[in-house]
Amino acid sequence: MVTKSLTKLIDEAIIPAFALIVAKSLGLFLVIAVFKLDFVIEQGGIFKILPVIHFQDPQSYIMAENYSNLAMLFVASFGTIFVIMRAHFLHRSHIHPAVHAKLVSLNLESLIASSYNLYHQGVIWLTYLWLVVGFLIISSVFGVTFPQITVIAFIIAANFSWIFAIDIQREIEINRNSV
Amino acid sequence: MKQNYPLTAALNFGAVLILMTILTAPFYFATSFTKPANIAGAKTQNPYIIISNVANFPQMQLTQTGSLYTITFVKVAQSQVFTGVLTITNPTKSATTYELVSTGDGMFFFGEDPGNQLTRITLPTGASVPISLFSNTKTYNSPQEASLSVEI
């Protein structure tokens, strides 16, 4: 009924979404703790249920936003590079025989992933990474996030997309040769 | 099994909606979880934000006592305009009318056109406008003071 790919994408999207929310929260609490920022917690912000943190001055708000956005960018980049590395080195379709043999001997064969899993994960993580870039661009336009962070995020996302595309290209060539 | 196309379409549409919700949820959380108190908090919300640009002018200083802003300046001629010494922003969620009340050796006005010295203006939400200072007192080459308060 529901397309298999859509179900897989939904399945793969849950953990990254959770990771980004945790990164934003942890980044926020860390910056509050380290810089001892003044804040007030008020109820009824998100969906009228979850609390909202109100900062006492704009500088504190900007500092907290920048560091917590950096934490989100770090998690999105880390997740993406992890999938890309797996796609390059632990991809079932083109894993190096020596690496494969070593993983089998270490009983770590589960690290080897199929194209189906890797590409769904890659699409999700890259989507999140580009959404982070979009979020940072909007935040920079409103003068909250420093533009330097946005530029770095854009460079990271563009390069990761390019590396991922190389792997897809290699996969297409493998499939074309095998036909 | 016979394919039920309307049901398949509806289920896939629902699945896309779920996927979009999951994808956007972290960003909705990121934008809603923090707010600056002077803009969003009801407790300390100000009806306006004044930003100083006096650092761009030599021998100019800004002091603030409560809601009274005093600028100390030195003119080089009897009649002089300092454009954009301050910027006022409307952080409220509705359009607000502001009126400048000047005292001392100069007169403040909205904008940067000395030929059109507006002292009353309505700003849409989130909008900013520069405030300029015009002085026509006989004294110059010595420090003078002009004070400003904003009335709503």
Side-chain angles (χ1 to χ4, degrees), chain A residues 37-40 54-58 60-61, chain B residues 35-38 44:
Chain A
L37 304 178
D38 290 329
F39 68 95
V40 176
H54 284 283
F55 288 94
Q56 296 301 294
D57 58 275
S60 301
Y61 170 70
Chain B
K35 297 279 182 221
N38 67 338
T44 57

Side-chain angles (χ1 to χ4, degrees), chain A residues 87-139:
Chain A
H88 268 258
F89 301 110
L90 303 172
H91 201 151
R92 194 179 301 282
S93 66
H94 55 259
I95 187 169
H96 194 278
V99 177
H100 196 174
K102 186 75 182 169
L103 285 173
V104 170
S105 70
L106 293 170
N107 202 18
L108 291 172
E109 208 178 354
S110 58
L111 286 175
I112 301 167
S114 65
S115 301
Y116 181 75
N117 278 329
L118 282 172
Y119 288 151
H120 283 90
Q121 284 174 6
V123 164
I124 287 296
W125 276 108
L126 272 174
T127 306
Y128 274 120
L129 190 58
W130 279 109
L131 284 172
V132 168
V133 173
F135 173 71
L136 291 176
I137 288 171
I138 294 167
S139 186

Side-chain angles (χ1 to χ4, degrees), chain B residues 116-136:
Chain B
N116 182 25
Q117 298 189 7
L118 294 170
T119 55
R120 189 180 170 85
I121 199 168
T122 301
L123 286 182
T125 180
S128 300
V129 68
I131 296 174
S132 301
L133 170 63
F134 171 68
S135 176
N136 194 26

Side-chain angles (χ1 to χ4, degrees), chain A residues 35-51:
Chain A
F35 295 104
K36 296 182 172 52
L37 304 178
D38 290 329
F39 68 95
V40 176
I41 293 178
E42 289 176 3
Q43 284 297 322
I46 305 168
F47 302 125
K48 309 284 180 202
I49 302 167
L50 295 172

Side-chain angles (χ1 to χ4, degrees), chain B residues 39-58:
Chain B
I39 290 174
K43 287 179 182 172
T44 57
Q45 185 175 28
N46 292 321
Y48 56 85
I49 295 172
I50 295 276
I51 297 165
S52 168
N53 305 315
V54 298
N56 301 331
F57 299 87

